[in-house]
Amino acid sequence: MQTRRIGAAQVSTIGLGGMPMSIEGRPDEARSLATIHAALDAGVTFIDTADAYHRDADEVGHNESLIAKALSAHDGGSDVLVATKGGHLRPGDGSWTFDGSPDHLKQACEASIKRLGVEAIGLYQFHRPDPKVPYADSVGALAELLDEGKIRMAGISNANPDQIRLANDILGGRLVSVQNQFSPAFRSSEAELALCDELGIAFLPWSPFGGITKAAGLGSRFAPFAQVAQAHGVSPQQVCLAWMLTLSPHLVPIPGSSRPDTIKDSAAAAELTLDPAELALLSAS
Ligand SMILES: NC(=O)c1ccc[n+]([C@@H]2O[C@H](COP(=O)([O-])OP(=O)(O)OC[C@H]3O[C@@H](n4cnc5c(N)ncnc54)[C@H](OP(=O)(O)O)[C@@H]3O)[C@@H](O)[C@H]2O)c1
């Protein structure tokens, strides 16, 4: 698969999002391991996770542990950039809470290092701004983690343009990625995408198909994606990723998956070329 750059790393143009393998509705472990291995076999070298990708309160880091297990059992595992996150919590009742305090982020990072079985985390992202903690303080913790060598690269998620500029300043120009929601149904991160292009940093669209519960209906909600898919004999989801890749050379989608077939299908988007008329139709839909 062709590659794109995230900071100093070259990664596959299509990544893998790990969330569906660890939250409510997740499959058994064998299917999750098979899904991650199918991704690697298809050339995927970038996997997104978070310590908060778990279901029950007592299994923080479920997804990180799963990914570590899958990578250690595959020849290509050492070539993968794993991006994890801290600052979001799941108390076990289905809700998502925050702790963006520097103390929490540093402890969370140490725990992620252990679960991933690495000396330093490839890409560590501040998951979501905590309304109770000044943004500069949370990002300041990432700067310290970089300086201490606990993380190799730093990113942020769910950030607006002001927060992106502030984070990049606090990190001394070392911000490498922004992970925001972006899909045919949710295009309001276009300002952040444009800013990432201007700064030359990676933009990682989360929930590129609209999220776990809506992904299957992408083609019925956005008819042009189904129309273009039919013309190419591929899935609307594959068309969606191929379209996204044309929006910016800094964009690396992270489609979530919990089945080998879906990540194989998504990975093939890297080879799908759409013509200008098709791209215009999709962008206007
Ligand atoms: N930073 C944040 O705040 C944040 C928030 C949400 C998500 N994320 C990240 O972004 C990733 C992606 O988002 P998401 O998982 O919420 O939603 P998504 O990628 O929009 O949708 C995921 C679902 O799409 C299905 N799918 C994947 N490839 C497909 C294909 N080629 N054809 C048909 N269906 C396909 C999968 O089904 P199967 O399960 O059947 O394989 C999966 O459950 C997450 O996994 C996570 O890593 C980050």
Side-chain angles (χ1 to χ4, degrees), residues 2-6 11-14 176-178 182 189-205 240-253 279 283:
Q2 289 177 352
T3 58
R4 289 193 169 183
R5 184 169 279 281
I6 300 179
V11 301
S12 54
T13 45
I14 302 290
V176 304
S177 64
V178 173
F182 188 75
S189 274
E190 274 167 1
E192 288 83 18
L193 174 56
L195 180 55
C196 285
D197 281 342
E198 183 189 319
L199 297 173
I201 62 181
F203 182 85
L204 314 174
C240 174
L241 297 173
W243 163 72
M244 270 187 193
L245 287 172
T246 67
L247 300 179
S248 159
H250 301 109
L251 185 151
V252 182
L279 293 170
S283 287

Side-chain angles (χ1 to χ4, degrees), residues 16-21 27 31 35 47-50 53 63 85 88 96 125 127-128 157-158 179-181 183 205-216 235-238 241 254-267:
L16 167 66
M19 193 166 74
M21 292 181 274
R31 195 176 102 192
T35 301
I47 302 183
D48 179 72
T49 182
Y53 293 167
N63 197 244
K85 314 182 196 78
H88 234 336
W96 296 77
Q125 307 159 100
H127 205 148
R128 190 179 278 272
S157 181
N158 300 299
Q179 183 178 144
N180 275 13
Q181 185 174 11
S183 66
W206 64 254
S207 292
F209 307 137
I212 297 171
T213 56
K214 294 198 170 152
S235 68
Q237 290 80 6
Q238 204 179 112
L241 297 173
I254 44 169
S257 190
S258 70
R259 284 184 292 133
D261 283 352
T262 50
I263 186 57
K264 271 190 243 169
D265 186 68
S266 293

Side-chain angles (χ1 to χ4, degrees), residues 56-146:
D56 305 327
D58 62 354
E59 52 171 23
V60 175
H62 177 276
N63 197 244
E64 292 176 326
S65 301
L66 195 62
I67 289 165
K69 187 169 181 178
L71 296 186
S72 68
H74 193 283
D75 285 348
S78 56
D79 299 333
V80 173
L81 174 66
V82 177
T84 193
K85 314 182 196 78
H88 234 336
L89 304 172
R90 300 205 79 202
D93 58 2
S95 68
W96 296 77
T97 57
F98 307 94
D99 190 345
S101 65
D103 281 353
H104 170 74
L105 289 172
K106 287 178 196 169
Q107 284 165 24
C109 179
E110 290 287 353
S112 291
I113 285 173
K114 286 201 185 81
R115 282 189 293 266
L116 290 171
V118 293
E119 278 175 27
I121 291 174
L123 171 57
Y124 196 64
Q125 307 159 100
F126 178 40
H127 205 148
R128 190 179 278 272
D130 179 346
K132 296 200 185 89
V133 178
Y135 197 63
D137 291 0
S138 302
V139 178
L142 263 63
E144 286 181 39
L145 290 167
L146 270 176

Side-chain angles (χ1 to χ4, degrees), residues 152-166:
R152 297 198 201 287
M153 297 190 287
I156 54 175
S157 181
N158 300 299
N160 65 32
D162 287 345
Q163 289 164 334
I164 296 171
R165 289 191 194 279
L166 177 62

Side-chain angles (χ1 to χ4, degrees), residues 13-57:
T13 45
I14 302 290
L16 167 66
M19 193 166 74
M21 292 181 274
S22 288
I23 67 166
E24 293 78 359
R26 68 192 184 197
D28 62 25
E29 184 178 283
R31 195 176 102 192
S32 291
L33 294 173
T35 301
I36 299 167
H37 287 169
L40 269 57
D41 292 342
V44 170
T45 59
F46 178 52
I47 302 183
D48 179 72
T49 182
D51 59 358
Y53 293 167
H54 62 94
R55 187 186 59 198
D56 305 327

